[in-house]
């Protein structure tokens, strides 16, 4: 799928990987609806992009919010051709910590946002894409999810986060197989340690330590490298039902 002239929904598009991806898509000639809970920042990003972008206030765990965001794609730009799932949260907690057992509500919350929220977007976006006229190659849409290397190399204190991202990995292939008959591809990117707001507050010493764990290149990933892979996935029709690690060959230590 060539991105020019197409319309994409980008969850978590007001910052980090989502923001850079939204900007990349718009720069490539696509229309973008930025779906995020941060209205102030989301509207600022949409305004900076210009006429090719709109903002939709959206909690990915809410059926009504995602339905409105999908409707915004069709109402503003005529159709929805791609969904890029970047919305997510990070929580760390040990199963047995200083204050006792892992809080159940925090485990439920991270699974609800990262896994169920991603599925919520997939199902509603795919339903809209199924109405598209197929391209000459038979393609109607593309969905790109964001997992994490924690899905494979979860560290101590990441039980909830790892479980939520492993769920995204696990549903990639079965959904891709199901949607294949509709010409909708489903892919997942599993980033390693990226230089986003999550690590923005880290000390220089900790940043160097993290960079040293990456075999090559020995640095944190850049958001534009994630966005570049999203574009390649969109444009390469043979990529379907797969999870791509984008991590510089890192394999996370236990802690």
């Amino acid at each position: 799928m060539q991105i020019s002239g197409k319309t994409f929904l980008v969850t978590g598009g007001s910052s980090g990987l989502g923001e850079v991806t939204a900007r990349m898509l718009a720069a490539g000639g696509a229309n973008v609806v930025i779906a995020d809970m941060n209205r102030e920042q989301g509207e600022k990003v949409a305004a900076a992009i210009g006429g090719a972008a709109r903002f939709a206030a959206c909690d990915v765990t809410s059926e009504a919010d995602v339905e409105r965001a999908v409707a915004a794609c069709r109402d503003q730009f005529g159709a929805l051709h791609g969904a890029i799932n970047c919305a997510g949260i990070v929580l760390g907690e040990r199963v047995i910590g200083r204050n006792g057992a892992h809080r159940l509500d925090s485990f439920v919350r991270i699974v609800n946002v990262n896994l169920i929220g991603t599925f919520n977007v997939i199902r509603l976006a795919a339903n809209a894409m199924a109405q598209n006229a197929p391209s000459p190659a038979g393609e109607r849409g593309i969905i790109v999810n964001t997992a994490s290397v924690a899905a494979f190399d979860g560290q101590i204190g990441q039980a909830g986060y790892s479980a939520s991202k492993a769920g995204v990995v696990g549903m990639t292939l079965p959904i891709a197989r199901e949607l294949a008959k509709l010409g909708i591809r489903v892919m997942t990117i599993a980033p390693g340690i990226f230089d986003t707001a999550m690590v923005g507050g880290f000390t220089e010493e900790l940043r160097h330590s993290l960079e040293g764990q990456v075999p090559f290149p020995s640095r944190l990933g850049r958001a534009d490298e994630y966005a570049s892979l999203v574009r390649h996935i969109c444009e390469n029709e043979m990529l379907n039902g797969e999870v791509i690690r984008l991590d510089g060959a890192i394999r996370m230590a236990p802690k």
Side-chain angles (χ1 to χ4, degrees), residues 15-24 86 189 191 193-197 219-231 246:
S15 63
L17 302 179
E19 177 185 349
V20 175
T21 298
R23 291 177 181 273
M24 176 278 295
C86 294
I189 299 172
I193 307 172
F194 270 63
D195 193 2
T196 61
R219 58 171 174 78
L220 304 183
R222 301 192 308 266
D224 65 286
E225 292 169 322
Y226 173 94
S228 177
L229 181 54
V230 169
R231 178 162 189 164
L246 186 64

Side-chain angles (χ1 to χ4, degrees), residues 175-191:
I175 296 176
R177 286 171 161 172
E178 178 181 344
L179 299 183
K181 64 180 181 294
L182 298 172
I184 300 171
R185 293 185 291 122
V186 182
M187 287 287 294
T188 293
I189 299 172

Side-chain angles (χ1 to χ4, degrees), residues 36-249:
D36 203 292
M37 294 181 66
N38 189 333
R39 177 181 291 276
E40 180 180 359
Q41 182 61 23
E43 289 179 343
K44 185 182 299 184
V45 173
I49 291 174
R54 299 289 188 276
F55 172 75
C58 181
D59 175 350
V60 293
T61 68
S62 165
E63 181 173 20
D65 280 8
V66 177
E67 285 177 338
R68 281 191 288 268
V70 170
C73 295
R74 293 180 295 189
D75 295 344
Q76 296 292 324
F77 302 113
L80 173 62
H81 304 96
I84 316 299
N85 280 304
C86 294
I89 59 174
V90 178
L91 295 173
E93 190 172 343
R94 289 175 179 256
V95 176
I96 303 175
R98 293 178 181 175
N99 298 318
H102 194 301
R103 292 171 299 156
L104 185 59
D105 60 347
S106 63
F107 188 93
V108 170
R109 180 175 177 237
I110 198 165
V111 171
N112 200 30
V113 174
N114 292 354
L115 176 56
I116 297 175
T118 295
F119 179 73
N120 193 29
V121 175
I122 290 173
R123 69 188 186 94
L124 296 172
N127 189 53
M129 293 176 197
Q131 312 306 314
N132 294 338
S135 71
E139 189 168 23
R140 287 186 170 89
I142 174 71
I143 297 169
V144 181
N145 305 311
T146 305
S148 166
V149 295
F152 312 99
D153 312 330
Q155 296 183 296
I156 293 171
Q158 289 187 333
Y161 183 70
S162 296
S164 69
K165 292 302 187 178
V168 174
V169 169
M171 69 183 176
T172 301
L173 181 58
I175 296 176
R177 286 171 161 172
E178 178 181 344
L179 299 183
K181 64 180 181 294
L182 298 172
I184 300 171
R185 293 185 291 122
V186 182
M187 287 287 294
T188 293
I189 299 172
I193 307 172
F194 270 63
D195 193 2
T196 61
M198 185 177 72
V199 301
F202 289 0
T203 65
E204 199 63 27
E205 181 181 4
L206 180 54
R207 286 177 63 92
H208 285 316
S209 173
L210 292 172
E211 290 171 347
Q213 296 177 40
V214 185
F216 186 82
S218 293
R219 58 171 174 78
L220 304 183
R222 301 192 308 266
D224 65 286
E225 292 169 322
Y226 173 94
S228 177
L229 181 54
V230 169
R231 178 162 189 164
H232 181 75
I233 289 171
C234 291
E235 296 178 344
N236 190 330
E237 293 176 354
M238 190 54 75
L239 285 173
N240 193 17
E242 184 56 273
V243 179
I244 300 175
R245 289 182 67 133
L246 186 64
D247 61 10

